[in-house]
Amino acid sequence: MTYFGLIFALIPVLAGLIIFRWPHLCTSFSTMTPEELANVDLKAVSRDSIVILGGTGAACAILYYSLYYTGHYTIAIELCVIALLAGCIVLAAVLRKHDRNPGRKKGAVALAVTAVFAVAICIMLFSWSRPVKIHVEGDSLEIDGAYGMTVPLQDIRQAKLTDTLPEIEMRTNGIGLGYIQTGHFRLKDIGACRLYVNMKFSPYVQLTLADGQTVIFNTSDSELTEHLYETCISF
């Protein structure tokens, strides 16, 4: 997972270099006529693009690796995505200043829509990256959060505690964000399965239900995971 930080850093830097060399290819100006481009300070566009996007790449690298090596991998990804979106918004706002063509009001509306969309993506990503909450309520195992479900304890036909997770072959309908794997997956030697796991932690509880469905979950607290397992086998 260490290479993710390099990817986050290189994306804005490479984009900045491209715009620096060919500023007219920037999305804001690529559809302009030659007459409209004449009203754009392309030298300033080149300069500001490399500074803003280069700085965004450096910020992503610093954020990612400083958090990754302290064990906060998920937060590192979240902050890098936020930094990338923030860099794009700042760049769009700055580049508008170099465009002397009429229609600034229209551009401002587009920028506001982009900002709202970026914030919505960040909120959605943050929500998805949160670990699910697992607890026993009455005679059911409740898994709250994204792709949550209720498992009646009487429907559990087999439960086992394991320190390893079978190889994930495919995510069919779920969230795979770093160590967090939530939703519907296909696992080697198991097939279709519902996962609610953070792969940084072990053990895992593997359940086989009356309808043949396999559910695997864990929590960041090994003692709580073991307690939930004991509850599942003692019902």
Side-chain angles (χ1 to χ4, degrees), residues 160-170 175 178-183 185-191 193-207 214-218:
K160 69 176 182 178
L161 197 64
T162 176
D163 288 325
T164 59
L165 186 68
E167 178 185 347
I168 297 176
E169 296 182 333
M170 181 187 302
I175 301 164
Y179 294 108
I180 303 234
Q181 307 291 324
T182 305
F185 293 77
R186 290 193 63 84
L187 273 60
K188 186 175 182 180
D189 299 328
I190 291 180
C193 176
R194 294 185 73 158
L195 291 183
Y196 303 93
V197 302
N198 185 328
M199 294 189 297
K200 282 180 61 178
F201 305 102
S202 62
Y204 307 94
V205 178
Q206 179 177 326
L207 304 177
T214 298
V215 179
I216 301 177
F217 69 86
N218 74 341

Side-chain angles (χ1 to χ4, degrees), residues 41 52 71 79-80 86 118 121 131 159 171 180 184 200 211:
D41 187 347
I52 293 172
L79 291 183
C80 282
I121 290 176
R171 181 175 73 247
I180 303 234
H184 301 264
K200 282 180 61 178
D211 60 2

Side-chain angles (χ1 to χ4, degrees), residues 20-86:
F20 179 78
R21 177 64 180 83
W22 299 286
H24 61 284
L25 295 180
C26 183
T27 303
S28 304
F29 314 125
S30 60
T31 59
M32 286 185 174
T33 64
E35 292 75 18
E36 290 173 325
L37 276 176
N39 292 321
V40 178
D41 187 347
L42 292 179
K43 289 185 177 180
V45 169
S46 295
R47 180 194 66 231
D48 291 347
S49 296
I50 194 65
V51 170
I52 293 172
L53 293 177
T56 301
C60 285
I62 293 170
L63 284 171
Y64 185 88
Y65 289 111
S66 62
L67 289 168
Y68 178 85
Y69 287 113
T70 56
H72 299 90
Y73 175 79
T74 302
I75 297 176
I77 292 181
E78 292 169 353
L79 291 183
C80 282
V81 171
I82 292 172
L84 286 174
L85 293 172

Side-chain angles (χ1 to χ4, degrees), residues 88-109:
C88 291
I89 292 172
V90 170
L91 179 63
V94 170
L95 294 189
R96 283 188 62 249
K97 297 181 179 180
H98 304 311
D99 180 4
R100 296 184 292 273
N101 287 292
R104 286 184 174 274
K105 183 176 181 181
K106 183 178 180 180
V109 172

